[in-house]
């Protein structure tokens, strides 16, 4: 009986060790979505991310511009840590048409409150190109 009890204890300890040694799984993909507009022009951005037990992992940026614009629009993304003062820790700049998607890899510790500031300069036929800025909610 004593041998069976010892075997059960060893097996239980092995099972507990394998459970605690398993890597922390990230959550399903989530999105930060925000919009801004100036006059007849606007932009919607999406930032795809997942959260593990220890980090936020940002994996993709995408945008869609509305309005009669050309092919030389500028879109900027600034990854910010909400602090006193806020800390910009990563920036992406893209130039091109009305839509875009870029795969990225940005990691930030989970305890840090993070948001994304973004802006667009719209390529128009006007003498000066309008622009807008906004930010996403924080995670």
């Amino acid at each position: 009986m004593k041998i069976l009890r010892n075997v059960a204890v060893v097996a239980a300890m092995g099972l507990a060790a394998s459970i605690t040694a398993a890597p922390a799984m990230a959550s399903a993909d989530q999105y930060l979505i925000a919009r801004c507009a100036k006059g007849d022009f606007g932009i919607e951005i999406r930032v795809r991310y997942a959260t593990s037990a220890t980090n936020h992992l940002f994996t993709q940026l995408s945008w869609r511009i509305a309005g009669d614009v050309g092919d030389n629009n500028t879109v900027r993304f600034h990854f910010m840590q909400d602090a006193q003062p806020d800390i910009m820790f990563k920036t992406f700049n893209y130039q091109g048409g009305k839509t875009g998607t870029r795969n990225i890899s940005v990691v930030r510790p989970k305890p840090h409150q993070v948001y994304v500031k973004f802006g667009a300069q719209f390529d128009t036929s006007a003498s000066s190109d309008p622009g807008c800025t906004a930010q996403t909610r924080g995670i």
Side-chain angles (χ1 to χ4, degrees), residues 38 40-41 68-70 73 121-131:
K38 179 71 172 185
D40 294 335
F41 311 101
D68 188 17
V69 297
N73 303 290
Q121 191 76 36
F122 304 111
D123 178 24
T124 69
S125 59
S127 59
S128 78
D129 290 336

Side-chain angles (χ1 to χ4, degrees), residues 2 12 15 19 24 34 37-38 43 67 69 92 101 111 115-116 118 132:
K2 186 175 180 182
L15 178 60
I19 291 172
K38 179 71 172 185
I43 184 170
V69 297
F92 294 95
T101 300
Y115 64 95
V116 180
F118 68 97
C132 68

Side-chain angles (χ1 to χ4, degrees), residues 17-39:
S18 68
I19 291 172
T20 58
M25 299 301 292
S27 66
D29 287 343
Q30 301 178 65
Y31 292 88
L32 297 174
I33 301 170
R35 298 165 189 84
C36 71
K38 179 71 172 185

Side-chain angles (χ1 to χ4, degrees), residues 30-100:
Q30 301 178 65
Y31 292 88
L32 297 174
I33 301 170
R35 298 165 189 84
C36 71
K38 179 71 172 185
D40 294 335
F41 311 101
I43 184 170
E44 177 182 272
I45 64 110
R46 291 175 180 259
V47 181
R48 184 174 67 189
Y49 72 95
T51 301
S52 72
T54 58
N55 292 310
H56 298 298
L57 173 61
F58 299 90
T59 59
Q60 189 176 72
L61 302 171
S62 61
W63 62 94
R64 183 174 46 106
I65 295 175
D68 188 17
V69 297
D71 290 331
N72 202 23
N73 303 290
T74 301
V75 181
R76 293 180 186 88
F77 297 89
H78 304 284
F79 285 79
M80 307 293 294
Q81 178 184 335
D82 191 0
Q84 295 298 321
D86 290 353
I87 300 165
M88 183 182 340
F89 60 90
K90 190 70 175 175
T91 300
F92 294 95
N93 293 304
Y94 301 107
Q95 206 159 9
K98 293 179 88 164
T99 63

Side-chain angles (χ1 to χ4, degrees), residues 1-16:
M1 187 68 161
K2 186 175 180 182
I3 292 173
L4 288 176
R5 187 177 28 179
N6 288 344
V7 169
V9 168
V10 170
M13 288 173 49
L15 178 60

